[in-house]
Amino acid sequence: MFKFFKKNKVVKIKSPFIGSCFKVEEIPDEVFASNMMGYGVGFSSKDGVLYSPVNGEIVQVFPTKHAVIIRSEEGLEILLHIGIETVSMKGEGFETFVGAGDKVKVGDKLVSFNLDLINEKAKSDLSPMIITNKDIIEKVEFNYGEVDKESLIAEVWLK
């Protein structure tokens, strides 16, 4: 009865890359492009650095350094994946600056990566960001275009 008066929490997500942000359907990987894993967007990086898009905690850094999972202070679980089929690079060209359990702030440097090497050895340098816990989300709105680490790329309304 009183849910009408309850204000849904809105989480603002900044860009994890400097470059451009586009619809996730443009990512050349069906699992990401279909939103099967969650709500997402795609990025093209200009500087080869992955930044934290939220204040939160690092849940996992993949052993191959090509992906990071972060949990925002509000409980959103965000997969930040660098390139497509970069797991096959076995960490070559990647350097991590965080580990599981580390607390991070918006804009903190998480991973640096060699774009030339990714373009040479992987399927694509396009990178998805996926919010994986859809069950706690009421609505998501994404902003597309040229971005830097200060750009607001998503607003997420929690249930």
Side-chain angles (χ1 to χ4, degrees):
M1 176 174 167
F2 292 102
K3 188 170 179 154
F4 175 76
F5 296 105
K6 181 182 169 225
K7 276 261 199 206
N8 286 356
K9 177 85 175 152
V10 179
V11 181
K12 295 180 184 296
I13 299 176
K14 299 287 182 95
S15 177
F17 294 97
I18 294 172
S20 62
C21 177
F22 51 86
K23 292 183 178 185
V24 76
E25 292 82 8
E26 295 177 42
I27 293 288
D29 182 291
E30 187 58 30
V31 173
F32 295 121
S34 67
N35 285 306
M36 185 183 308
M37 294 180 66
Y39 302 112
V41 291
F43 294 92
S44 177
S45 175
K46 286 184 179 174
D47 67 349
V49 178
L50 172 66
Y51 302 96
S52 179
V54 293
N55 295 334
E57 181 177 343
I58 301 298
V59 175
Q60 180 180 3
V61 176
F62 286 62
T64 50
K65 305 175 190 175
H66 75 289
V68 174
I69 298 174
I70 185 170
R71 183 180 304 110
S72 76
E73 292 172 335
E74 302 83 7
L76 287 179
E77 292 182 3
I78 302 168
L79 170 65
L80 301 162
H81 195 283
I82 301 166
I84 299 301
E85 295 183 11
T86 47
V87 67
S88 64
M89 294 173 63
K90 298 181 169 92
E92 180 185 6
F94 295 87
E95 181 181 1
T96 57
F97 301 95
V98 292
D102 288 354
K103 303 284 189 213
V104 293
K105 297 283 183 199
V106 171
D108 286 354
K109 188 176 185 178
L110 305 179
V111 180
S112 66
F113 50 97
N114 184 318
L115 283 166
D116 293 333
L117 200 57
I118 289 173
N119 282 314
E120 177 187 325
K121 296 191 171 201
K123 181 176 180 179
S124 173
D125 69 349
L126 299 180
S127 300
M129 179 192 85
I130 308 294
I131 304 166
T132 59
N133 52 344
K134 295 197 276 191
D135 58 315
I136 68 167
I137 296 173
E138 181 82 27
K139 175 173 87 166
V140 181
E141 289 181 2
F142 292 111
N143 300 311
Y144 307 106
E146 292 301 305
V147 293
D148 62 32
K149 61 184 188 172
E150 299 300 317
S151 300
L152 177 67
I153 55 116
E155 290 182 281
V156 181
W157 284 260
L158 302 179
K159 290 182 181 176

